[in-house]
Amino acid sequence: MDLTTSLTVVIVGVVFVCVLLAVLLYYSKVNSIFKGIALPSAIAVSLYFIYFVMEIAGAPVSKFPEHDFQYLGHDVDDGGKTLILWTWDFDKEDYRQYKFAYTRENAKKLNQAREQKQRGTPMKGNFKKDSGGEFRLTLQKGGREKSIVPTK
């Protein structure tokens, strides 16, 4: 099951639970103060859970990185249609995943970055728009060596 399907299942499950809770509260004989607090609390917890799954648990962001990043790794997904890039974001000081359309040029540069990283050379990179509006990947040696596994 891919990540989009997983998130869809989580969201549908949350909506189902909230509707079920609303129906049960409507027909219950508990204090009306509890009824007024229970459903908004369940909705707030559900929204936080969805945020947690998407942001903190590492759902890839469907766009190009906006800032300079440290290359950690990449993978081709969706039968060769999508690139997933694992990075250390210097501005946010956190690990990030980005998901964007596959291009042969970007895949070639990312493969070169992987080879350099396997040799022990950290690689920094960024995406910039060219004159045609396409995002082009620029990589260079340097930066701090970061592990794919957080050591916090």
Side-chain angles (χ1 to χ4, degrees):
M1 186 181 312
D2 67 347
L3 188 63
T4 306
T5 306
S6 299
L7 288 175
T8 303
V9 168
V10 167
I11 291 170
V12 168
V14 164
V15 169
F16 176 76
V17 167
C18 286
V19 169
L20 183 64
L21 180 64
V23 169
L24 290 174
L25 286 173
Y26 180 76
Y27 289 110
S28 72
K29 295 180 182 181
V30 297
N31 190 343
S32 60
I33 293 173
F34 176 76
K35 287 181 180 181
I37 293 173
L39 188 58
S41 298
I43 291 171
V45 168
S46 299
L47 290 174
Y48 177 76
F49 178 71
I50 292 170
Y51 168 78
F52 177 80
V53 168
M54 291 175 58
E55 185 69 22
I56 297 173
V61 180
S62 295
K63 63 179 183 178
F64 291 97
E66 297 173 355
H67 310 288
D68 290 348
F69 60 85
Q70 179 83 35
Y71 171 86
L72 298 178
H74 75 280
D75 197 10
V76 179
D77 196 16
D78 297 333
K81 297 178 184 175
T82 307
L83 285 169
I84 296 178
L85 175 65
W86 290 276
T87 68
W88 169 261
D89 190 316
F90 291 118
D91 290 347
K92 295 182 181 181
E93 294 189 357
D94 198 8
Y95 297 91
R96 292 279 179 237
Q97 291 182 17
Y98 296 94
K99 183 176 182 178
F100 46 88
Y102 177 94
T103 65
R104 183 174 287 192
E105 179 183 340
N106 286 340
K108 184 177 179 182
K109 288 182 181 179
L110 289 172
N111 285 334
Q112 291 171 351
R114 177 187 287 155
E115 291 172 9
Q116 289 292 328
K117 182 164 177 47
Q118 287 173 345
R119 291 187 191 125
T121 305
M123 299 295 290
K124 285 181 7 180
N126 60 34
F127 282 89
K128 299 211 186 254
K129 276 190 179 179
D130 64 8
S131 58
E134 294 287 321
F135 281 93
R136 300 283 180 217
L137 173 61
T138 306
L139 289 166
Q140 60 191 22
K141 295 179 183 179
R144 304 184 311 243
E145 180 62 29
K146 282 297 208 184
S147 170
I148 293 177
V149 179
T151 56
K152 293 180 183 178

